[in-house]
Amino acid sequence: MTKTLLELTGSGSLSYSSLDTLLTCGEKYRLTKILGAPQSDAWYLFGGSAVHEATELLDKGEQEDPAKAWAICWEKQMERVVDASKVRAAGRATKANPNKEDQAWWEKSGLEQVKGWVEWVAARKAAGWTLLETEAAFEVTLGSTPVRGYIDRVFVTDTGETLILDLKTGGRQPQSTVQLGVYRQGYLKATGTDSFLGTYFMTRQGGADYEPTVHSLTHYTEDMLGRWYDRAKAIVEAGLFVPHVGPLCPSCSVAPHCEAVGGTAPTSSFK
């Protein structure tokens, strides 16, 4: 008997990240979302979370000092580290960073990224922008599939346009704007306010003069995204999980459990 999304994953809804994982590598989705395979830690996960949380504290007015906000959030993340020697460092080894983007790199860069965000927000407010929402949550239905998400920021620009913004702490600009399109429809269905514009804010490039690329989101209709999510849900419930073996596999957080790359395939659920 076919199991439902809720029975398989414990959640009756899909997020953008789960959709992205499913379409990027079906086996990773199965291992993480259905079997609950343990994932290896990486410094960029701890650092990225700390940057997001620190900027949120500042934008909500719960902290005024970027350095203090960063220290609080970094310390919170460090409490989650079980064995620092086993946490993966991403990026490339250079003369300046021979150990790649490790703990020391994030301790310094994370604070710089938070300060860069504060400077950018201050400059935009001075130009007439308004910060409308921070961490705007939504849980809506697209097609027949429940979809949930958290939008990092929603701004109203100086020309009165509502703009969706997602902070990215990695070094590469996302090639797809699907995430912003999903957020557009999620925010519209949750609040009734449409957002025709969206942007990814690359925190490593932040600062008062930083100009992130702004994208039109008008082609991401509710009907189109609903079809995509319904098909994704059908894939999960049909158990059609195909591994995508490629250059990123060695750094995958569940590679030790993936038989496609020589890992030990789990014989039962980790949940």
Side-chain angles (χ1 to χ4, degrees), residues 89 91-102 105:
R92 293 185 300 173
T94 63
K95 184 176 181 180
N97 301 299
N99 298 318
K100 302 182 180 180
E101 295 174 4
D102 59 359
W105 186 91

Side-chain angles (χ1 to χ4, degrees), residues 76-197:
K76 177 183 174 182
Q77 291 300 315
M78 290 307 94
E79 291 174 354
R80 298 173 51 219
V81 177
V82 177
D83 185 348
S85 66
K86 294 182 179 180
V87 180
R88 292 181 290 117
R92 293 185 300 173
T94 63
K95 184 176 181 180
N97 301 299
N99 298 318
K100 302 182 180 180
E101 295 174 4
D102 59 359
Q103 180 178 358
W105 186 91
W106 272 103
E107 287 176 347
K108 178 181 179 181
S109 178
L111 175 57
E112 293 174 349
Q113 292 177 45
V114 172
K115 288 181 176 179
W117 169 255
V118 171
E119 293 172 3
W120 186 85
V121 171
R124 293 306 171 279
K125 287 184 176 180
W129 287 38
T130 302
L131 177 56
L132 189 63
E133 293 204 54
T134 299
E135 285 294 301
F138 65 84
E139 186 158 355
V140 301
T141 299
L142 293 177
S144 61
T145 305
V147 177
R148 68 185 186 281
Y150 293 88
I151 305 170
D152 286 338
R153 303 294 187 275
V154 181
F155 283 92
V156 176
T157 71
D158 57 325
T159 57
E161 296 173 292
T162 304
L163 177 138
I164 297 275
L165 182 147
D166 190 75
L167 286 89
K168 296 296 185 186
T169 57
R172 295 182 179 180
Q173 178 85 23
Q175 298 300 304
S176 164
T177 57
V178 175
Q179 181 179 6
L180 300 173
V182 171
Y183 285 2
R184 174 207 175 190
Q185 287 299 330
Y187 193 68
L188 173 59
K189 295 203 72 176
T191 67
T193 300
D194 205 350
S195 310
F196 298 116
L197 301 176

Side-chain angles (χ1 to χ4, degrees), residues 33-56:
K33 303 299 183 180
I34 296 178
L35 297 184
Q39 302 185 60
S40 60
D41 287 328
W43 286 115
Y44 65 82
L45 295 175
F46 295 118
S49 294
V51 169
H52 275 78
E53 291 172 2
T55 58
E56 184 179 346

Side-chain angles (χ1 to χ4, degrees), residues 235-250:
I235 289 172
V236 174
E237 295 180 341
L240 303 177
F241 305 113
V242 181
H244 179 197
V245 180
L248 297 179
C249 287

